Amino acid sequence: MSHRLQVIADELYRHQTAAAELPKLTLRYEGLTVDDAYEIQRLTMQKYMDEGARLVGWKMGLTSKAKQQSVGVDEPIFGHLLSTMELEHPVLSVRGLIHPRVEPEIAFVFRSRLAGPDVTVRDVWLATECVVPALEVIDSRYENFSFTLIDVIADNASSARFYLGDQAFSPYAFRLDEVGVVMRLNGNVVQTGAGAAVLGHPVKSVLEQVRMLTRYGAAIEPGMVVLTGGITEAIHVHPGDRVQIAFAGMGSLELNVT
Ligand code: 0L1
Ligand code: MG
């Protein structure tokens, strides 16, 4: 393990836990690669796990064309989901966050392990226990939410919090690419979208997740959750805001921001 990557991971951990912005790593450290960025992410997450957090799943990011274009890439990224990031109730405290944004997602929960380069869509369905309406709170630790691909991977793909709805659904109940989503902020419609925004179909995002994890020697383990990616753009939230997300056929989530 490179000393330089550990130094960067320590710096990111300090900024994440202090909710303090930092300038892009790529402005200050030359020659960082995508593999370096995933190693920085892993080392940073390991520090939380050393403090008692558990790895409960993975998140896919940059899964829509719009988001990929905004960062100038044509591939998704992934991050860790830790037990300390999960909201038990749909209440988001902005304490400990810098400039949080909320996005609607479809989560998969797994009954069996998925690993290896040859996993197929059929394997994903067979391994899936249920799907759940979800939301992710992203909070880039970089100044002005400005970063390159390498910066955002190192910063755990901007993930900060997540919430899973109470009601789980069979993955066979309806077409996930046709699930329509309407997001309201304080009663006003601010975003609309459909599951197809996520790499054409959220199941493809899980497949991509397994392939990327395989490259880094990891897997989807039984009981894990995967957030498949934002169905709409993320919206900025502030104390006092109320976010309602209606998932057609999957019920609604309501998040109060304090
Ligand atoms: O979950 C996501 O797609 C976010 C990935 C990072 C990009 C951002 O922070 O906007
Ligand atoms: Mg997301």
Side-chain angles (χ1 to χ4, degrees):
M1 182 238 302
S2 137
H3 176 65
R4 181 169 87 136
L5 301 187
Q6 185 66 62
V7 167
I8 299 173
D10 291 348
E11 179 185 354
L12 262 173
Y13 177 79
R14 276 197 309 279
H15 281 265
Q16 288 174 359
T17 50
E21 292 174 291
L22 77 166
K24 283 186 273 208
L25 301 174
T26 47
L27 287 176
R28 295 174 293 128
Y29 298 95
E30 274 183 20
L32 289 174
T33 65
V34 165
D35 284 352
D36 290 338
Y38 276 114
E39 181 60 4
I40 294 166
Q41 180 191 126
R42 192 188 67 76
L43 291 168
T44 310
M45 293 300 114
Q46 188 57 52
K47 291 177 75 74
Y48 290 93
M49 290 191 268
D50 291 345
E51 297 290 318
R54 285 177 298 107
L55 177 64
V56 296
W58 307 101
K59 69 151 282 185
M60 288 288 284
L62 304 181
T63 47
S64 69
K65 281 276 162 278
K67 277 201 179 191
Q68 289 179 4
Q69 279 164 5
S70 72
V71 186
V73 299
D74 55 9
E75 60 194 64
I77 59 177
F78 74 88
H80 293 59
L81 295 179
L82 301 179
S83 52
T84 45
M85 295 163 59
E86 182 161 8
L87 299 175
E88 195 180 336
H89 305 288
V91 176
L92 174 70
S93 166
V94 298
R95 195 174 309 151
L97 301 174
I98 302 168
H99 34 210
R101 296 190 297 165
V102 173
E103 59 186 18
E105 308 224 2
I106 291 174
F108 280 55
V109 179
F110 294 91
R111 75 164 74 92
S112 26
R113 189 169 197 268
L114 280 171
D118 302 322
V119 167
T120 65
V121 165
R122 295 185 303 288
D123 297 325
V124 174
W125 290 127
L126 285 171
T128 300
E129 176 66 28
C130 58
V131 293
V132 189
L135 61 84
E136 184 184 21
V137 179
I138 54 176
D139 188 34
S140 172
R141 270 54 65 157
Y142 298 111
E143 291 165 350
N144 306 317
F145 245 109
S146 162
F147 45 72
T148 67
L149 181 70
I150 283 166
D151 295 298
V152 69
I153 292 171
D155 185 28
N156 198 32
S158 299
S159 202
R161 305 279 187 272
F162 67 99
Y163 177 72
L164 302 184
D166 288 336
Q167 181 62 54
F169 294 85
S170 160
Y172 310 118
F174 34 72
R175 290 195 62 98
L176 295 180
D177 55 344
E178 291 180 0
V179 171
V181 167
V182 177
M183 181 153 59
R184 288 184 171 80
L185 179 64
N186 303 324
N188 302 312
V189 174
V190 285
Q191 291 287 333
T192 59
V198 181
L199 295 180
H201 192 300
V203 77
K204 300 241 178 71
S205 180
V206 177
L207 196 61
E208 195 55 39
Q209 175 74 86
V210 179
R211 291 184 180 152
M212 288 197 288
L213 288 173
T214 300
R215 182 168 165 198
Y216 295 102
I220 296 175
E221 302 293 347
M224 277 189 168
V225 56
V226 168
L227 291 181
T228 53
I231 294 172
T232 71
E233 285 295 313
I235 58 161
H236 284 280
V237 292
H238 304 94
D241 283 344
R242 185 166 46 99
V243 180
Q244 296 160 296
I245 307 172
F247 295 78
M250 298 178 89
S252 293
L253 301 181
E254 187 165 315
L255 180 77
N256 287 301
V257 185
T258 64

